[in-house]
């Protein structure tokens, strides 16, 4: 692999080797009796001052200072226009590298782990963008301990790590309600890029830069929400999310932003029971996304969005029916395709429009006809429209 700065690569490797040697030469009782009794982070037992006294430290700092790309990142604000960032010195940059990821897990040098960490370091430092992730923690989803469900490039449903779960609970984006939430929790994740901002003064970030960043984040949030909406159409079940967190984790320029949503107690569950069902979800997602892309009037996107947003109610169910009826060519086409009978549809309309039948949830404020003798329940209406919506999508 060709490195962008081979001199720095060799210097940092020598520096890391000297760090390891110091740690290994320490008395065993000093090493194993760290405050948290952990053996997982040996390098962190060295203080910043100790790290700066080691051989090759000054050489690394000099190389960083003489590299225009690297020095352009030090002692300045580095981050994004919408999620902040921070100032970092050359010594802090070097220390972050030494204490990052795989390098700090064992008290021995691993060339493969070092190269992986250095490649990540160069990719982030020399890039004009910062790779971010939007994450929507899901309440109610059980996926048979499947770790990752890949939906598209940079888009997935995956388990939260313990560290992520702890962080997200502090932001109140997830909650555990007794033992049934003690298993793996899942989230919809979308990776995306934001332009890297390097400036001496945060006030120099323009309104245009901020607006572009906000626009990109909104696009990603809509993509994440759309996944949840499509999941609701794919299979009946209770699934909820408490907001979307934007972050860049395990990096040199940490950024974070939260778009909260009301977090409610989830009384039901949403099961993805086996590999076949998960594969069906993937195919359904791909089909719906292609229909949305190909659509001339956004009918599919609108119906999915309304269904996904609504806690089932008469007004929104009626909107979805009207979208389908208009797109398919009328009630007779729906009946002829066998998606429902005319009597069922008329009873649904009659019930939805009747204050006597459904009270304040009615589409109308006053009774325009006699109320239905045997009105549909809201649950029955939900099944009717959900079934019609699935048939409509499958027919395209």
């Amino acid at each position: 692999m060709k490195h962008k700065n081979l001199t720095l690569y060799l210097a940092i490797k020598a520096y890391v080797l000297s760090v390891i040697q110091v740690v290994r030469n320490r008395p065993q009782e000093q090493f194993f009796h760290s405050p948290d009794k952990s053996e997982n982070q040996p390098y962190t037992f060295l203080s910043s001052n100790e790290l700066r006294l080691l051989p090759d430290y000054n050489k690394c700092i000099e190389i960083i200072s003489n590299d225009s790309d690297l020095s352009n990142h030090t002692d300045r604000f580095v981050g994004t226009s919408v999620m902040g960032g921070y100032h970092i010195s050359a010594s802090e940059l070097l220390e972050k590298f030494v204490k990052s990821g795989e390098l700090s897990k064992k008290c021995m040098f691993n060339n493969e782990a070092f190269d992986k960490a250095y490649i990540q370091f160069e990719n982030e430092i020399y890039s004009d963008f910062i790779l971010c992730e939007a994450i929507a923690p899901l309440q109610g989803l059980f996926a048979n301990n499947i770790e990752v469900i890949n939906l598209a490039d940079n888009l997935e449903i995956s388990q939260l790590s313990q560290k992520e779960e702890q962080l997200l609970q502090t932001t109140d984006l997830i909650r555990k309600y007794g033992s049934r939430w003690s298993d793996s929790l899942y989230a919809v994740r979308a990776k995306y890029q934001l332009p890297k901002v390097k400036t001496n003064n945060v006030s120099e970030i323009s309104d245009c830069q901020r607006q572009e960043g906000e626009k990109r984040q909104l696009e990603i949030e809509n993509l994440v929400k759309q996944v949840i909406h499509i999941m609701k159409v794919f299979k009946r079940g209770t699934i909820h999310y408490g907001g979307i967190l934007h972050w860049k984790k395990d990096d040199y320029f940490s950024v974070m932003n939260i778009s909260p949503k009301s977090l409610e107690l989830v009384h039901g569950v949403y099961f993805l029971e086996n590999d076949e069902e998960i594969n069906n979800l993937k195919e359904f997602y791909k089909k719906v996304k292609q229909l949305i892309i190909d659509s001339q009037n956004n009918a599919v996107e609108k119906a999915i969005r309304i269904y996904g947003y609504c806690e089932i109610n008469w007004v929104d169910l009626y909107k979805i029916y009207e979208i389908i009826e208009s797109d398919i060519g009328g009630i007779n086409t729906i009946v002829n395709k066998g998606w429902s009978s005319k009597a069922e549809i008329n009873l649904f309309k009659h019930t939805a429009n009747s204050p006597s039948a459904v009270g304040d949830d009615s589409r109308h404020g006053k009774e325009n006809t006699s109320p239905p003798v045997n009105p549909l329940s809201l649950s029955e209406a939900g099944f009717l429209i959900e079934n019609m919506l699935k048939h409509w999508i499958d027919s395209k």
Side-chain angles (χ1 to χ4, degrees), residues 256-383:
M256 185 180 293
N257 188 37
I258 301 172
S259 297
K261 181 178 180 289
S262 60
L263 185 57
E264 302 169 5
L265 176 61
V266 177
H267 294 286
V269 293
Y270 185 102
F271 279 108
L272 293 174
E273 297 180 14
N274 49 49
D275 290 343
E276 181 181 0
E277 193 164 45
I278 288 171
N279 287 332
N280 289 340
L281 170 61
K282 292 179 182 179
E283 291 304 314
F284 186 73
Y285 174 81
K286 290 177 183 177
K287 177 169 186 175
V288 173
K289 283 297 293 183
Q290 195 58 51
L291 287 173
I292 291 172
I293 292 170
D294 294 342
S295 175
Q296 298 299 312
N297 58 10
N298 295 323
V300 173
E301 188 275 332
K302 186 175 181 180
I304 291 283
R305 175 165 37 85
I306 293 172
Y307 185 85
Y309 268 128
C310 78
E311 299 297 332
I312 296 178
N313 64 80
W314 291 99
V315 173
D316 284 335
L317 289 177
Y318 206 99
K319 287 178 184 177
I320 295 167
Y321 170 77
E322 288 182 325
I323 292 169
I324 296 170
E325 183 189 62
S326 173
D327 182 79
I328 206 71
I331 186 172
N332 289 333
T333 306
I334 293 173
V335 172
N336 291 338
K337 287 181 175 292
W339 299 351
S340 182
S341 69
K342 186 168 286 189
E344 284 178 317
I345 295 171
N346 287 336
L347 179 57
F348 163 72
K349 290 181 174 181
H350 194 179
T351 304
N353 290 328
S354 171
S356 299
V358 298
D360 291 345
D361 293 330
S362 167
R363 292 181 66 244
H364 296 317
K366 65 183 184 70
E367 199 72 61
N368 294 320
T369 62
S370 299
V373 177
N374 295 305
L376 285 178
S377 68
L378 182 58
S379 177
E380 290 171 329
F383 274 110

Side-chain angles (χ1 to χ4, degrees), residues 52-260:
R52 294 169 190 180
L53 291 174
L54 294 175
D56 296 295
Y57 168 79
N58 287 329
K59 183 177 181 180
C60 290
I61 297 300
E62 182 182 354
I63 295 170
I64 291 173
S65 300
N66 291 333
D67 183 306
S68 59
D69 287 309
L70 293 172
S71 61
N72 201 26
H73 286 74
T74 58
D75 300 314
R76 307 180 73 196
F77 171 87
V78 180
T80 74
S81 61
V82 287
M83 291 198 290
Y86 57 79
H87 291 74
I88 187 169
S89 66
S91 57
E92 289 170 333
L93 191 63
L94 183 59
E95 187 174 331
K96 266 182 169 285
F97 177 85
V98 170
K99 292 183 177 180
S100 68
E102 295 295 326
L103 289 179
S104 59
K105 288 187 177 178
K106 293 184 179 179
C107 191
M108 60 181 67
F109 185 79
N110 182 304
N111 197 69
E112 183 178 346
F114 176 85
D115 283 351
K116 181 180 178 181
Y118 189 82
I119 289 169
Q120 180 186 350
F121 170 79
E122 283 202 335
N123 286 343
E124 293 193 19
I125 294 295
Y126 289 97
S127 175
D128 292 327
F129 297 90
I130 288 181
L131 181 63
C132 302
E133 184 178 55
I135 176 170
L138 301 175
Q139 298 272 188
L141 174 61
F142 283 83
N144 201 25
N145 281 325
I146 301 296
E147 291 186 6
V148 180
I149 302 171
N150 290 307
L151 298 174
D153 291 342
N154 298 318
L155 182 65
E156 67 185 34
I157 303 166
S158 56
Q159 290 180 355
L160 294 170
S161 69
Q162 187 175 10
K163 183 178 178 181
E164 289 172 335
E165 189 179 312
Q166 290 170 350
L167 172 63
L168 291 167
Q169 289 208 51
T170 65
T171 63
D172 211 25
L173 292 188
I174 59 170
R175 293 179 191 159
K176 287 192 172 184
Y177 303 104
S179 60
R180 72 191 184 107
W181 295 114
S182 61
D183 295 325
S184 298
L185 292 171
Y186 288 83
V188 179
R189 303 174 188 264
K191 292 183 174 64
Y192 64 101
Q193 290 183 325
L194 288 175
K196 184 188 290 181
V197 175
K198 295 173 286 186
T199 180
N200 293 321
N201 193 327
V202 178
S203 63
E204 295 175 358
I205 299 174
S206 69
D207 289 341
C208 182
Q209 286 175 301
R210 288 193 175 91
Q211 289 166 5
E212 285 299 314
E214 290 168 356
K215 179 181 176 182
R216 180 60 176 149
Q217 284 194 326
L218 182 60
E219 291 172 351
I220 295 299
E221 288 191 12
N222 288 336
L223 177 64
V224 169
K225 292 173 186 175
Q226 196 172 73
V227 170
I228 299 170
H229 299 164
I230 291 172
M231 290 176 71
K232 289 182 177 182
V233 176
F234 171 73
K235 184 176 183 180
R236 178 169 280 258
T238 303
I239 194 168
H240 184 79
Y241 74 104
I244 298 174
L245 171 71
H246 296 265
W247 64 10
K248 179 65 182 83
K249 51 183 183 171
D250 299 331
D251 68 343
Y252 297 90
F253 310 107
S254 298
V255 290
M256 185 180 293
N257 188 37
I258 301 172
S259 297

